[in-house]
Coordinates of all heavy atoms in Angstrom, one line a residue:
Chain A
I104 N -46.0 181.5 173.0 CA -47.2 182.4 172.7 C -47.3 182.7 171.2 O -48.4 182.7 170.6 CB -47.0 183.7 173.5 CG1 -47.2 183.5 175.0 CG2 -48.0 184.8 173.1 CD1 -46.9 184.6 175.9
F105 N -46.1 182.9 170.6 CA -46.1 183.2 169.2 C -46.7 182.0 168.4 O -47.5 182.2 167.5 CB -44.7 183.5 168.7 CG -44.6 184.0 167.3 CD1 -45.1 185.2 166.9 CD2 -44.1 183.1 166.3 CE1 -45.0 185.6 165.5 CE2 -44.1 183.5 165.0 CZ -44.5 184.7 164.6
L106 N -46.2 180.8 168.8 CA -46.6 179.6 168.0 C -48.0 179.2 168.2 O -48.8 178.9 167.3 CB -45.7 178.4 168.5 CG -44.4 178.1 167.8 CD1 -43.7 177.0 168.5 CD2 -44.7 177.8 166.3
F107 N -48.5 179.3 169.5 CA -49.8 178.8 169.8 C -50.9 179.8 170.0 O -52.0 179.5 170.2 CB -49.7 177.9 171.0 CG -48.9 176.6 170.8 CD1 -47.6 176.5 171.4 CD2 -49.3 175.6 169.9 CE1 -46.9 175.4 171.1 CE2 -48.5 174.5 169.7 CZ -47.3 174.4 170.3
Y108 N -50.5 181.1 169.9 CA -51.5 182.1 170.0 C -51.5 183.1 168.8 O -52.5 183.2 168.1 CB -51.4 182.9 171.4 CG -52.5 183.9 171.5 CD1 -53.8 183.5 171.9 CD2 -52.3 185.3 171.3 CE1 -54.8 184.4 172.0 CE2 -53.3 186.2 171.4 CZ -54.6 185.8 171.7 OH -55.6 186.7 171.8
I109 N -50.3 183.7 168.6 CA -50.3 184.7 167.6 C -50.5 184.0 166.2 O -51.4 184.5 165.4 CB -48.9 185.4 167.5 CG1 -48.6 186.0 168.9 CG2 -48.9 186.5 166.5 CD1 -49.4 187.2 169.4
I110 N -49.8 183.0 165.9 CA -50.0 182.3 164.6 C -51.4 181.9 164.3 O -52.0 182.2 163.3 CB -48.9 181.2 164.3 CG1 -47.5 181.8 164.2 CG2 -49.2 180.4 163.1 CD1 -46.4 180.8 164.0
P111 N -52.0 181.1 165.3 CA -53.4 180.7 165.0 C -54.4 181.9 164.9 O -55.3 181.8 164.1 CB -53.8 179.9 166.3 CG -52.5 179.4 166.8 CD -51.5 180.5 166.5
A112 N -54.1 182.9 165.7 CA -55.0 184.1 165.6 C -54.9 184.7 164.3 O -55.9 185.0 163.6 CB -54.7 185.1 166.7
V113 N -53.7 185.0 163.8 CA -53.5 185.6 162.5 C -54.0 184.7 161.4 O -54.7 185.1 160.4 CB -52.0 185.9 162.3 CG1 -51.8 186.4 160.9 CG2 -51.5 187.0 163.3
S114 N -53.8 183.4 161.6 CA -54.3 182.4 160.6 C -55.8 182.4 160.5 O -56.4 182.4 159.4 CB -53.9 181.0 160.9 OG -52.5 180.9 161.0
T115 N -56.5 182.5 161.6 CA -57.9 182.6 161.6 C -58.4 183.8 160.9 O -59.4 183.7 160.1 CB -58.5 182.6 163.1 OG1 -57.9 181.5 163.8 CG2 -60.0 182.5 163.1
V116 N -57.8 184.9 161.1 CA -58.2 186.2 160.4 C -58.0 186.0 158.9 O -58.8 186.3 158.1 CB -57.3 187.4 160.9 CG1 -57.7 188.6 160.0 CG2 -57.6 187.7 162.3
Y117 N -56.8 185.4 158.5 CA -56.6 185.1 157.1 C -57.6 184.1 156.5 O -58.2 184.4 155.4 CB -55.1 184.6 156.9 CG -54.9 184.0 155.5 CD1 -54.8 184.8 154.4 CD2 -54.8 182.6 155.4 CE1 -54.6 184.3 153.2 CE2 -54.6 182.1 154.1 CZ -54.5 182.9 153.0 OH -54.4 182.4 151.8
I118 N -57.8 183.0 157.2 CA -58.7 182.0 156.6 C -60.1 182.6 156.5 O -60.8 182.2 155.5 CB -58.7 180.7 157.5 CG1 -57.3 180.1 157.5 CG2 -59.7 179.7 157.1 CD1 -57.1 179.0 158.6
S119 N -60.5 183.5 157.4 CA -61.9 184.0 157.3 C -62.1 184.8 156.0 O -63.2 185.1 155.7 CB -62.2 184.9 158.6 OG -61.4 186.1 158.5
A120 N -61.0 185.2 155.4 CA -61.1 185.9 154.1 C -61.0 185.0 152.9 O -60.7 185.5 151.8 CB -60.1 187.1 154.1
T121 N -61.1 183.7 153.1 CA -60.9 182.8 152.0 C -62.1 181.8 152.0 O -63.0 181.8 152.9 CB -59.7 181.9 152.2 OG1 -59.9 181.0 153.3 CG2 -58.4 182.7 152.4
D122 N -62.2 181.0 151.0 CA -63.2 180.0 150.9 C -62.6 178.6 151.2 O -63.0 177.6 150.6 CB -63.9 180.0 149.5 CG -62.9 179.7 148.4 OD1 -61.7 179.5 148.6 OD2 -63.3 179.6 147.2
M123 N -61.7 178.5 152.1 CA -60.9 177.3 152.4 C -61.9 176.1 152.7 O -62.8 176.3 153.4 CB -60.0 177.5 153.5 CG -59.0 176.3 153.8 SD -57.9 176.6 155.1 CE -56.7 177.7 154.4
G124 N -61.6 175.0 152.0 CA -62.4 173.8 152.3 C -61.5 172.6 152.7 O -60.5 172.8 153.4
R125 N -61.9 171.4 152.3 CA -61.3 170.2 152.8 C -59.8 170.1 152.5 O -59.1 169.5 153.3 CB -62.1 169.0 152.2 CG -62.0 167.8 153.0 CD -62.8 166.7 152.4 NE -64.2 166.8 152.7 CZ -64.8 166.5 153.9 NH1 -64.0 166.0 154.9 NH2 -66.1 166.6 154.1
S126 N -59.4 170.6 151.3 CA -58.0 170.4 151.0 C -57.1 171.4 151.7 O -55.9 171.4 151.6 CB -57.8 170.6 149.5 OG -58.1 172.0 149.2
L127 N -57.7 172.3 152.5 CA -57.0 173.3 153.3 C -56.4 174.4 152.4 O -55.4 175.0 152.8 CB -56.0 172.7 154.3 CG -56.5 171.6 155.2 CD1 -55.4 171.3 156.2 CD2 -57.7 172.1 156.0
K128 N -56.9 174.5 151.2 CA -56.4 175.5 150.3 C -57.6 176.4 150.0 O -58.7 175.9 149.9 CB -55.9 174.9 148.9 CG -54.6 174.2 149.0 CD -54.3 173.5 147.8 CE -53.2 172.5 148.0 NZ -53.3 171.3 147.3
G129 N -57.4 177.7 149.9 CA -58.5 178.6 149.7 C -58.2 179.8 148.8 O -57.1 180.2 148.7
N130 N -59.3 180.3 148.2 CA -59.1 181.5 147.4 C -59.6 182.7 148.2 O -60.5 182.6 149.0 CB -60.0 181.4 146.1 CG -59.7 180.2 145.3 OD1 -58.5 180.0 145.0 ND2 -60.7 179.3 145.1
F131 N -59.0 183.8 147.9 CA -59.3 185.0 148.7 C -60.7 185.5 148.3 O -61.0 185.6 147.1 CB -58.3 186.1 148.4 CG -58.5 187.4 149.2 CD1 -58.2 187.4 150.5 CD2 -59.1 188.5 148.6 CE1 -58.5 188.6 151.2 CE2 -59.3 189.7 149.3 CZ -59.0 189.7 150.6
V132 N -61.6 185.7 149.3 CA -63.0 186.1 148.9 C -63.4 187.4 149.6 O -64.5 187.8 149.6 CB -64.0 185.0 149.3 CG1 -63.9 183.8 148.4 CG2 -64.0 184.7 150.8
G133 N -62.4 188.1 150.3 CA -62.6 189.4 150.9 C -63.5 189.2 152.1 O -63.3 188.3 152.9
I134 N -64.6 190.1 152.2 CA -65.4 190.0 153.3 C -66.7 189.2 153.1 O -67.7 189.3 153.8 CB -65.8 191.5 153.8 CG1 -66.4 192.3 152.6 CG2 -64.6 192.2 154.4 CD1 -67.2 193.5 153.1
K135 N -66.7 188.4 152.1 CA -67.9 187.6 151.7 C -68.5 186.8 152.8 O -69.7 186.8 153.0 CB -67.6 186.7 150.5 CG -68.8 186.2 149.8 CD -68.3 185.3 148.6 CE -69.5 184.5 148.2 NZ -69.1 183.4 147.3
N136 N -67.6 186.2 153.6 CA -68.0 185.3 154.7 C -68.7 186.2 155.8 O -69.7 185.7 156.4 CB -66.8 184.6 155.3 CG -66.3 183.5 154.4 OD1 -67.1 182.8 153.7 ND2 -65.0 183.3 154.4
F137 N -68.2 187.4 156.0 CA -68.8 188.2 157.0 C -70.2 188.8 156.5 O -71.1 188.9 157.3 CB -67.9 189.4 157.4 CG -66.7 188.9 158.1 CD1 -65.5 188.6 157.4 CD2 -66.7 188.6 159.4 CE1 -64.4 188.1 158.0 CE2 -65.6 188.1 160.1 CZ -64.4 187.9 159.4
T138 N -70.3 189.1 155.2 CA -71.6 189.6 154.7 C -72.6 188.5 154.8 O -73.8 188.8 155.0 CB -71.4 190.2 153.3 OG1 -70.8 189.1 152.5 CG2 -70.6 191.4 153.2
R139 N -72.1 187.3 154.6 CA -73.1 186.1 154.7 C -73.6 186.0 156.1 O -74.8 185.7 156.3 CB -72.3 184.8 154.4 CG -73.2 183.7 154.1 CD -72.3 182.5 153.6 NE -72.8 181.2 154.0 CZ -72.2 180.1 154.0 NH1 -70.9 180.1 153.6 NH2 -72.7 179.0 154.3
I140 N -72.8 186.4 157.1 CA -73.3 186.4 158.5 C -74.2 187.6 158.8 O -75.3 187.4 159.2 CB -72.1 186.4 159.5 CG1 -71.2 185.2 159.3 CG2 -72.6 186.5 161.0 CD1 -69.9 185.3 160.0
F141 N -73.7 188.8 158.4 CA -74.4 190.0 158.9 C -75.7 190.3 158.0 O -76.5 191.0 158.4 CB -73.5 191.2 159.0 CG -72.5 191.0 160.1 CD1 -71.1 190.8 159.8 CD2 -72.9 190.9 161.4 CE1 -70.2 190.6 160.9 CE2 -72.0 190.7 162.5 CZ -70.7 190.5 162.2
S142 N -75.7 189.8 156.8 CA -76.9 190.0 156.0 C -78.0 189.0 156.3 O -79.0 189.0 155.7 CB -76.5 189.9 154.5 OG -76.1 188.6 154.2
V143 N -77.7 188.1 157.3 CA -78.6 187.1 157.7 C -79.0 186.2 156.5 O -80.1 185.7 156.4 CB -79.8 187.6 158.5 CG1 -80.4 186.5 159.4 CG2 -79.4 188.7 159.4
E144 N -78.0 186.1 155.6 CA -78.3 185.2 154.4 C -78.4 183.7 154.9 O -79.2 182.9 154.4 CB -77.1 185.3 153.5 CG -77.2 184.6 152.2 CD -75.9 184.6 151.4 OE1 -75.2 185.7 151.3 OE2 -75.5 183.5 151.0
D145 N -77.6 183.4 156.0 CA -77.7 182.1 156.6 C -78.9 182.1 157.5 O -79.0 182.9 158.5 CB -76.4 181.9 157.4 CG -76.3 180.5 158.0 OD1 -77.4 179.9 158.1 OD2 -75.2 180.1 158.4
P146 N -79.9 181.3 157.2 CA -81.2 181.5 157.9 C -81.2 181.1 159.4 O -82.1 181.4 160.1 CB -82.2 180.6 157.2 CG -81.3 179.6 156.5 CD -80.0 180.3 156.2
V147 N -80.1 180.5 159.9 CA -80.1 180.0 161.3 C -79.3 180.9 162.2 O -79.3 180.8 163.4 CB -79.7 178.6 161.4 CG1 -80.7 177.6 160.9 CG2 -78.3 178.3 160.9
I148 N -78.6 181.9 161.6 CA -77.7 182.8 162.4 C -78.5 183.5 163.6 O -78.0 183.5 164.7 CB -77.0 183.8 161.5 CG1 -75.8 183.2 160.8 CG2 -76.6 185.1 162.3 CD1 -74.7 182.8 161.8
G149 N -79.7 184.1 163.2 CA -80.4 184.7 164.3 C -80.8 183.8 165.4 O -80.6 184.2 166.6
R150 N -81.2 182.6 165.1 CA -81.6 181.6 166.0 C -80.4 181.2 166.9 O -80.5 181.1 168.1 CB -82.1 180.4 165.3 CG -82.4 179.2 166.1 CD -83.8 179.2 166.6 NE -84.1 178.3 167.6 CZ -84.8 177.3 167.5 NH1 -85.4 177.0 166.4 NH2 -85.1 176.5 168.5
V151 N -79.3 181.1 166.3 CA -78.0 180.7 167.0 C -77.6 181.7 167.9 O -77.2 181.4 169.1 CB -76.9 180.3 165.9 CG1 -75.6 180.3 166.5 CG2 -77.3 179.0 165.2
L152 N -77.7 183.0 167.5 CA -77.3 184.1 168.4 C -78.2 184.2 169.6 O -77.7 184.4 170.8 CB -77.3 185.4 167.6 CG -76.1 185.6 166.6 CD1 -76.3 186.9 165.8 CD2 -74.7 185.6 167.3
L153 N -79.5 184.0 169.4 CA -80.4 184.0 170.5 C -80.1 182.9 171.5 O -80.1 183.1 172.7 CB -81.9 183.9 169.9 CG -83.0 184.0 171.0 CD1 -83.0 185.4 171.6 CD2 -84.3 183.7 170.4

Side-chain angles (χ1 to χ4, degrees):
Chain A
I104 290 172
F105 185 75
L106 270 176
F107 295 110
Y108 183 76
I109 306 289
I110 291 181
V113 173
S114 301
T115 306
V116 174
Y117 166 72
I118 296 168
S119 71
T121 69
D122 60 357
M123 188 180 282
R125 203 174 282 282
S126 67
L127 308 185
K128 285 170 197 146
N130 303 307
F131 184 75
V132 294
I134 56 163
K135 198 181 162 192
N136 289 323
F137 293 95
T138 52
R139 196 172 148 196
I140 299 169
F141 293 112
S142 65
V143 203
E144 189 190 310
D145 185 339
V147 293
I148 278 291
R150 173 88 195 249
V151 165
L152 287 174
L153 185 66

